[in-house]
Amino acid sequence: MLGKLKQLIKSNKSLAYGVRRCRTWLHANLRCGIRNYGHNLQFNRGVVVCFRDLKIGHDVFIGYDCYFGVQNIQIGNYVQLAPKVAITGGDHLIEVIGTPMIKTGLDASREIQATQKGVVIQDDVWVGLGAIIMDGVTIGEGSIIGAGSVVTKDVPPYTIFAGCPAKKIRDRFLNQNDRVEHSKKINGTWHRSVDIK
Ligand SMILES: CC(C)(COP(=O)(O)OP(=O)(O)OC[C@H]1O[C@@H](n2cnc3c(N)ncnc32)[C@H](O)[C@@H]1OP(=O)(O)O)[C@@H](O)C(=O)NCCC(=O)NCCS
């Protein structure tokens, strides 16, 4: 019965779209309380959002069990976060004499909230499975982050970073003209015309 229903949803595009929208509404609006997102968001189960100021652009995919533990996170258009991507850092004061670590977290101190910088993920970024992005980082347009990486520094546009700490492994486009043409297209008419899978 359940299998048949799944098949029916898969074979019917508008039904599949409707189910996706319901799922997003359920997980993003109802469970995580976020409001600020664009068209065609896919927001999967198990995502944890610690601050509701999270902003998400159009055509974005947020995989299962992602973790947003920082204030002021901005995610652009056409961004894909694989499952278990985490954004964290700047959440404990570590040098407070006489205060055990468990008492130094964000929930315990407004001071820390004031020092959190936030994270920016620009358009057309793909972050691989289980990557960790630290507070304060900007991931430039069109970049790719390898699975399991720990990103501690800004990532320039159109570069592939991987490892722990993440380092550049190569450019996404070998030819500069391809990069410029691609960037123009995604910032122009292409926007919202494509249904990202
Ligand atoms: C980052 C990635 C895109 C690079 O792919 P690629 O360009 O084909 O890279 P290669 O396999 O040629 O590897 C190039 C080098 O980077 C290293 N590397 C690749 N991925 C890495 C990773 N995730 N972490 C650490 N090092 C990595 C390789 O070991 C290799 O190193 P070497 O030159 O010293 O031998 C890919 O490895 C990756 O991590 N994809 C994410 C997959 C994923 O999470 N999918 C989830 C579904 S949405």
Side-chain angles (χ1 to χ4, degrees):
M1 171 73 180
L2 199 63
K4 272 191 180 165
L5 187 66
K6 275 186 180 169
Q7 247 182 353
L8 177 73
I9 293 169
K10 267 189 187 166
S11 62
N12 184 322
K13 262 193 151 183
S14 27
L15 197 59
Y17 181 70
V19 168
R20 234 167 41 209
R21 284 198 64 170
C22 287
R23 192 170 49 199
T24 289
W25 183 83
L26 190 76
H27 294 302
N29 294 54
L30 205 64
R31 212 173 54 74
C32 296
I34 64 160
R35 300 279 179 273
N36 205 340
Y37 60 84
H39 302 275
N40 203 23
L41 170 67
Q42 286 190 66
F43 194 95
N44 288 290
R45 69 167 178 264
V47 176
V48 174
V49 176
C50 297
F51 297 96
R52 292 176 179 191
D53 61 357
L54 173 65
K55 291 191 184 113
I56 304 178
H58 302 296
D59 294 308
V60 170
F61 178 95
I62 309 289
Y64 297 104
D65 299 334
C66 284
Y67 175 80
F68 299 95
V70 166
Q71 295 181 102
N72 192 19
I73 298 173
Q74 296 177 45
I75 296 175
N77 303 309
Y78 322 121
V79 170
Q80 179 168 8
L81 305 187
K84 299 183 187 296
V85 167
I87 300 181
T88 188
D91 49 359
H92 284 261
L93 292 174
I94 57 178
E95 292 172 349
V96 190
I97 295 169
T99 307
M101 280 311 302
I102 196 169
K103 306 282 185 197
T104 64
L106 262 180
D107 46 349
S109 168
R110 300 256 158 237
E111 274 171 62
I112 315 177
Q113 295 194 17
T115 63
Q116 277 202 331
K117 302 178 194 100
V119 164
V120 178
I121 300 178
Q122 295 179 346
D123 293 352
D124 188 29
V125 166
W126 175 35
V127 183
L129 185 92
I132 298 175
I133 301 163
M134 302 306 292
D135 182 35
V137 162
T138 293
I139 301 183
E141 180 184 300
S143 294
I144 294 168
I145 308 300
S149 301
V150 179
V151 187
T152 56
K153 297 204 167 89
D154 288 356
V155 175
Y158 292 100
T159 48
I160 304 181
F161 263 53
C164 178
K167 298 251 159 62
K168 180 174 175 176
I169 60 174
R170 65 179 175 87
D171 288 314
R172 177 170 160 194
F173 294 108
L174 299 180
N175 181 328
Q176 177 70 10
N177 293 339
D178 290 352
R179 172 188 153 164
V180 171
E181 192 186 337
H182 175 83
S183 182
K184 257 193 217 157
K185 280 190 175 163
I186 66 156
N187 287 303
T189 52
W190 199 79
H191 182 58
R192 287 180 57 189
S193 61
V194 171
D195 187 17
I196 292 188
K197 295 283 182 286

